Amino acid sequence: MQYAFSNRIQNVKPSAIREILKLVAKNPSIISFSTGSPSNEAIPVEEIHEIAENIFATRAIESLQYSMTEGYPSLRETTKSRLKNTFGIGRDFDEVIITTGGQQGLEMTPKVLCNEGDIAIVESPSFVSGINAIKSNGAHLIGIEMDDEGIKLDKLTEVIENSDRVKLLYLIPSFQNPSGKTMSLARRKAVYDLCAKHHIIILEDNPYGELRFKGEDVPTIKSMDDAGIVVYNGSYSKIISAGMRIGFICAPQEIMQKLIIAKQVGDCHTNIFFQMVVDQFFRNYDIDKHIRKLCEIYRDRCDYMLDLMDKHFDKRVTYTRPEGGLFIWCSLPEGYDSMELAQISTKNGVAFVPGCSFMVDDQAPCASFRVNYSTPSKESIAKGIPLLAASIEEYLAKK
Amino acid sequence: MQYAFSNRIQNVKPSAIREILKLVAKNPSIISFSTGSPSNEAIPVEEIHEIAENIFATRAIESLQYSMTEGYPSLRETTKSRLKNTFGIGRDFDEVIITTGGQQGLEMTPKVLCNEGDIAIVESPSFVSGINAIKSNGAHLIGIEMDDEGIKLDKLTEVIENSDRVKLLYLIPSFQNPSGKTMSLARRKAVYDLCAKHHIIILEDNPYGELRFKGEDVPTIKSMDDAGIVVYNGSYSKIISAGMRIGFICAPQEIMQKLIIAKQVGDCHTNIFFQMVVDQFFRNYDIDKHIRKLCEIYRDRCDYMLDLMDKHFDKRVTYTRPEGGLFIWCSLPEGYDSMELAQISTKNGVAFVPGCSFMVDDQAPCASFRVNYSTPSKESIAKGIPLLAASIEEYLAKK
């Protein structure tokens, strides 16, 4: 049988990251800096267990029966008031729904906004599964480079002013995946004004925003959203548990009506038991204290890894010094290809993700690569960074 | 702000069923025959609680951390061997993945197979959220009527032979939603042969297949699939719990590769805790005994409702006598509109779903309507059917 697939799905190629993860899975002795998982120690297992017991005791049937597409009403309320009180997010015209992890919002937003051939702009580099979610809905992607303040404004203005088919701008303004960069307040304002002027919807993805362990918070773009152009995509994966798949969206009602249709046909509703778990966590436990604990863990890991990089890495290699999130973005000198380095380092027993994986065109060579510090233990970091440094030496010497 | 949405999502109109469910939600005294939920008594709460305890005790971190897109390996195995041993489903070229409830398979399959304007054929009537999932991916829908053996073969042949853009045939062969009908073996074979000849993919949706309480099992279409043209969509919602959102797909590897991409961008993976729950349920409990218990509950409810219909309904009203599943399909005499009946009956305190909701063109009047017997208690059925009968009298007399 010869199968014929849709153009939109043919748009999405299997990514290099998957191949590396498979290699790592096959060889458990490899030290992996390649995932984006929270630390195991960051998962509040005891609290979740207590809450689960309470649910089985008091509302077992409700937690296992069909539920509403928009989400568990109590969790929608908790999420809404937390967004309002902690982040100044949410106008009268906004609505909050619960999603099956942050990923679902990344898929549904281009689905409801973009026709095939419409243009969506992303930061370059950007989150692989965000890029692919947009591609899988047939939009044409344009990647725009970042400087230290975020996506480059002059280039963004140029692209927007030269096309009437730009529908969507996908941004991860805080502790961006993979670069670890945080967009400045001035840049956020300028980007928002530009999009408001041209009626372009911003998909603001903020899974790492609460994981700040240094410096000062920068207001979200959604908190400036008087015009109703921002779809804010959030997740409880990084602060409670990723395996439960609970996220949320805050967006203007008119967009939300379409997102609810997409959600209804997408998976009917999100696992209701864990919606209740998250809701009770917020109502009966000290979430701020819990997040402070996570930030301590990640600050410690990040500092530890940076110290080892400072000590062992060839001076020609540069890297970001993130103030939060899960990733460090390293760059080899120009002309080198991190995919070639990955082959050497995997052989030497340490894995990371080559930068090309995060590009709209993932076939072009890329000197940069992503390193994760949240998943590996300090022991693994202590063993892995010197191995990575040696692999870099080997590659730089060979080329 | 004037929003512009994608054509594909504009294709999907909010359905009448939602409006009725909202009315019912607002007035809890209304007796509802309108849902499609399993009976509360059908959910194995104690077993799920025991398994949850075991998971917290032995693999808590694994159950709350990121997991694989394809699904929990042990559950994929359990599902695969059960499909093989119990239903003869699965060739060497087939693969099984876990989905976020049966609904996700209905969304992903047209997404990976249909370009905008490609044709998908559905039974008329058919499952609302199946119809909408296909519409939301831009395919053009054609509904084909059923006779007592299933979708009409002459009409299906005509549509397929007169177009080269038919890509997908969506069928619910067993205890169809909403009609309660089961396609005959001869019709299944004929439909399969026709599709194999024309390289059309069949999406066989079988959420109710195990809920047979009378008569003899009919083999699934997937069990005949030597050519690799059937995507089999299954669900654990009706036999374990709907709220947990666990389903599965069995499909040829080449199609599966694309479905895995759609799944990866759709929600990364399905809630891993409840994948473990289902897996342990199959491994450590007697699922067949559990299903026999469910079938007893549903046979009892169905018989009870049919007896009351026989006793109270105007003789001009006809209805199916299902051998399984959750629904009875009733028809008023020609020329009557079940939407008008719904207005009267809701006022009288009993709700059902008008037939137009299940049509590709849901604006045309429809004499038929769907009644559910799995959710209401026998007390509610005893009170509700006479009320519905009286509403029918009132409507027939008035018109």
Side-chain angles (χ1 to χ4, degrees):
Chain A
M1 173 82 185
Q2 278 278 62
Y3 300 103
F5 297 106
S6 65
N7 300 331
R8 63 174 92 94
I9 206 76
Q10 298 284 38
N11 256 346
V12 190
K13 304 280 173 272
S15 93
I17 201 170
R18 283 182 72 81
E19 299 313 310
I20 287 175
L21 292 178
K22 273 184 201 159
L23 260 179
V24 173
K26 270 188 206 149
N27 185 351
S29 74
I30 290 183
I31 294 169
S32 172
F33 299 143
S34 52
T35 80
S37 302
S39 165
N40 286 346
E41 295 148 55
I43 304 173
V45 175
E46 270 175 51
E47 291 86 339
I48 293 173
H49 188 182
E50 277 173 22
I51 296 169
E53 279 308 292
N54 180 274
I55 294 171
F56 278 114
T58 61
R59 51 184 75 184
I61 291 291
E62 193 191 349
S63 76
L64 296 168
Q65 187 55 281
Y66 274 118
S67 187
M68 294 170 72
T69 297
E70 293 86 343
Y72 183 52
S74 181
L75 178 59
R76 291 175 72 194
E77 274 314 308
T78 321
T79 300
K80 202 170 171 176
S81 56
R82 189 154 187 277
L83 283 176
K84 189 82 187 171
N85 301 334
T86 316
F87 307 99
I89 285 176
R91 302 288 193 275
D92 283 347
F93 55 71
D94 281 315
E95 192 80 74
V96 169
I97 65 165
I98 306 303
T99 55
T100 303
Q103 186 62 42
Q104 190 172 43
L106 304 184
E107 201 278 334
M108 296 197 304
T109 307
K111 177 169 180 173
V112 308
L113 290 171
C114 300
N115 282 316
E116 303 216 0
D118 281 344
I119 295 170
I121 300 173
V122 300
E123 294 155 327
S124 183
S126 186
F127 175 48
V128 196
S129 290
I131 291 176
N132 285 343
I134 299 171
K135 280 186 180 172
S136 81
N137 282 298
H140 176 68
L141 273 172
I142 295 179
I144 294 182
E145 281 181 26
M146 293 183 280
D147 57 27
D148 286 343
E149 289 202 68
I151 194 164
K152 285 184 177 171
L153 195 63
D154 51 349
K155 194 79 187 37
L156 181 64
T157 309
E158 190 190 313
V159 172
I160 288 176
E161 288 186 347
N162 284 312
S163 167
D164 57 358
R165 292 205 69 179
V166 180
K167 288 281 175 64
L168 188 65
L169 172 61
Y170 171 54
L171 299 171
I172 311 167
S174 294
F175 318 125
Q176 204 242 15
N177 180 1
S179 72
K181 286 181 182 173
T182 291
M183 196 186 290
S184 70
L185 181 58
R187 185 66 55 85
R188 291 178 194 222
K189 281 182 176 160
V191 167
Y192 179 81
D193 288 341
L194 179 69
C195 288
K197 183 178 159 197
H198 291 274
H199 301 284
I200 290 163
I201 304 293
I202 298 173
L203 173 55
E204 180 177 27
D205 194 16
N206 196 19
Y208 318 106
E210 305 219 41
L211 301 180
R212 174 176 286 281
F213 47 72
K214 270 179 201 165
E216 288 294 311
D217 264 342
V218 184
T220 61
I221 301 178
K222 183 65 182 167
S223 69
M224 313 166 185
D225 189 24
D226 292 321
I229 60 158
V230 182
V231 174
Y232 182 83
N233 192 51
S235 169
Y236 293 127
S237 291
K238 304 302 186 291
I239 60 172
I240 301 181
S241 144
M244 64 182 185
R245 313 305 305 129
I246 311 283
F248 57 89
I249 299 175
C250 177
Q253 272 155 23
E254 229 179 301
I255 300 178
M256 197 56 100
Q257 283 169 15
K258 301 299 180 190
L259 290 171
I260 291 168
I261 291 173
K263 168 87 185 147
Q264 195 176 22
V265 301
D267 64 3
C268 190
H269 66 79
T270 294
N271 180 296
I272 175 69
F273 189 96
F274 276 93
Q275 290 191 64
M276 290 178 170
V277 167
V278 175
D279 185 51
Q280 287 200 29
F281 195 95
F282 280 109
R283 289 178 189 271
N284 303 330
Y285 294 80
D286 187 343
I287 183 73
D288 296 318
K289 188 177 158 197
H290 171 67
I291 291 173
R292 281 197 300 275
K293 183 188 134 191
L294 304 194
C295 289
E296 276 309 303
I297 294 173
Y298 294 141
R299 185 167 57 121
D300 185 47
R301 299 262 169 97
C302 180
D303 282 350
Y304 191 66
M305 187 177 262
L306 285 170
D307 283 350
L308 285 164
M309 285 178 168
D310 293 344
K311 192 169 157 200
H312 294 283
F313 271 18
D314 188 286
K315 295 301 163 234
R316 286 170 289 174
V317 178
T318 59
Y319 36 92
T320 53
R321 305 191 86 88
E323 300 191 323
L326 311 177
F327 306 109
I328 297 171
W329 184 243
C330 306
S331 298
L332 300 167
E334 221 172 298
Y336 288 85
D337 182 357
S338 61
M339 190 62 103
E340 291 177 7
L341 174 62
Q343 278 148 13
I344 296 169
S345 82
T346 311
K347 183 184 57 112
N348 291 347
V350 60
F352 58 81
V353 186
C356 60
S357 306
F358 305 101
M359 303 297 175
V360 172
D361 170 15
D362 63 2
Q363 301 302 308
C366 175
S368 300
F369 58 95
R370 189 189 79 177
V371 175
N372 165 269
Y373 51 78
S374 61
T375 313
S377 64
K378 284 175 84 171
E379 292 68 39
S380 295
I381 294 173
K383 273 175 72 180
I385 292 297
L387 276 177
L388 178 54
S391 305
I392 291 171
E393 287 310 321
E394 188 180 332
Y395 178 47
L396 294 181
K398 187 174 132 187
K399 173 124 179 163
Chain B
M1 173 81 185
Q2 278 279 63
Y3 300 103
F5 297 106
S6 65
N7 299 332
R8 63 174 92 93
I9 206 74
Q10 297 285 37
N11 255 346
V12 190
K13 304 280 174 272
S15 94
I17 201 169
R18 283 182 72 82
E19 300 312 310
I20 287 174
L21 292 178
K22 273 185 201 158
L23 260 179
V24 173
K26 271 188 203 146
N27 185 349
S29 74
I30 290 182
I31 294 168
S32 173
F33 299 144
S34 52
T35 81
S37 304
S39 165
N40 286 345
E41 295 148 54
I43 304 173
V45 176
E46 271 175 51
E47 291 86 339
I48 293 173
H49 187 183
E50 278 173 22
I51 296 169
E53 280 308 291
N54 181 274
I55 293 171
F56 278 115
T58 60
R59 51 182 77 185
I61 292 290
E62 194 191 348
S63 76
L64 296 167
Q65 188 54 282
Y66 275 117
S67 187
M68 295 170 71
T69 298
E70 293 86 343
Y72 183 54
S74 181
L75 178 59
R76 291 175 73 194
E77 273 314 308
T78 321
T79 301
K80 201 170 172 177
S81 56
R82 189 155 186 276
L83 283 176
K84 190 82 189 172
N85 301 334
T86 316
F87 307 99
I89 286 176
R91 302 288 193 274
D92 284 348
F93 55 71
D94 282 315
E95 193 79 73
V96 170
I97 65 165
I98 307 303
T99 55
T100 303
Q103 186 62 43
Q104 190 172 44
L106 303 184
E107 201 278 334
M108 297 196 305
T109 307
K111 177 169 179 172
V112 309
L113 289 171
C114 299
N115 283 316
E116 303 215 0
D118 280 346
I119 294 170
I121 298 173
V122 300
E123 294 155 326
S124 181
S126 186
F127 175 47
V128 196
S129 291
I131 291 177
N132 284 342
I134 298 171
K135 281 186 180 173
S136 81
N137 283 298
H140 176 68
L141 273 172
I142 295 179
I144 293 182
E145 281 180 25
M146 293 182 280
D147 57 27
D148 285 343
E149 289 201 70
I151 194 164
K152 285 184 177 171
L153 195 63
D154 51 348
K155 194 80 184 43
L156 180 64
T157 308
E158 191 189 313
V159 171
I160 288 176
E161 289 186 347
N162 284 312
S163 168
D164 56 358
R165 293 205 68 178
V166 179
K167 288 282 174 63
L168 189 64
L169 172 62
Y170 171 54
L171 298 172
I172 311 167
S174 294
F175 318 126
Q176 204 244 14
N177 180 1
S179 72
K181 286 181 183 172
T182 291
M183 196 186 289
S184 70
L185 181 58
R187 185 67 54 87
R188 291 176 193 222
K189 282 183 175 161
V191 167
Y192 178 81
D193 288 342
L194 179 69
C195 289
K197 184 178 158 196
H198 292 274
H199 302 283
I200 291 163
I201 303 294
I202 297 173
L203 172 55
E204 180 177 26
D205 193 16
N206 196 20
Y208 319 107
E210 305 219 42
L211 300 181
R212 174 176 288 279
F213 47 71
K214 272 180 200 163
E216 289 294 312
D217 265 341
V218 184
T220 61
I221 301 177
K222 182 65 182 168
S223 69
M224 312 166 186
D225 188 24
D226 292 322
I229 60 158
V230 181
V231 175
Y232 181 84
N233 193 51
S235 169
Y236 293 127
S237 292
K238 305 301 187 290
I239 60 172
I240 301 182
S241 143
M244 64 183 184
R245 314 303 305 130
I246 310 283
F248 57 89
I249 299 174
C250 177
Q253 273 155 21
E254 229 179 301
I255 300 179
M256 198 56 99
Q257 284 168 15
K258 301 299 180 189
L259 289 171
I260 291 168
I261 291 173
K263 168 90 185 145
Q264 196 176 20
V265 301
D267 64 4
C268 191
H269 66 80
T270 294
N271 181 295
I272 176 69
F273 189 95
F274 276 92
Q275 290 190 66
M276 290 179 171
V277 167
V278 174
D279 185 51
Q280 286 200 29
F281 195 96
F282 279 109
R283 288 178 189 271
N284 303 331
Y285 294 80
D286 187 342
I287 183 73
D288 296 318
K289 188 177 158 195
H290 171 68
I291 291 173
R292 281 196 301 276
K293 183 187 134 190
L294 305 194
C295 289
E296 276 309 304
I297 294 172
Y298 294 141
R299 186 168 56 121
D300 185 46
R301 298 262 169 99
C302 180
D303 282 349
Y304 191 67
M305 188 177 259
L306 285 170
D307 284 349
L308 285 164
M309 285 178 168
D310 293 344
K311 193 170 158 198
H312 293 282
F313 271 17
D314 188 287
K315 293 303 164 236
R316 288 170 287 174
V317 178
T318 58
Y319 36 92
T320 53
R321 306 191 85 88
E323 299 191 324
L326 311 178
F327 306 109
I328 297 171
W329 183 243
C330 306
S331 298
L332 299 167
E334 222 174 296
Y336 289 84
D337 182 357
S338 62
M339 189 62 104
E340 292 177 6
L341 174 62
Q343 278 150 12
I344 296 169
S345 83
T346 312
K347 184 183 60 120
N348 291 346
V350 59
F352 57 81
V353 187
C356 60
S357 307
F358 306 99
M359 302 299 173
V360 172
D361 170 15
D362 64 2
Q363 301 302 307
C366 175
S368 300
F369 57 95
R370 189 189 80 176
V371 175
N372 164 270
Y373 51 79
S374 61
T375 314
S377 64
K378 283 175 83 170
E379 293 67 40
S380 296
I381 294 173
K383 273 174 72 179
I385 291 298
L387 277 177
L388 178 54
S391 306
I392 292 172
E393 287 310 320
E394 188 181 331
Y395 177 48
L396 293 181
K398 188 173 132 187
K399 173 124 180 165

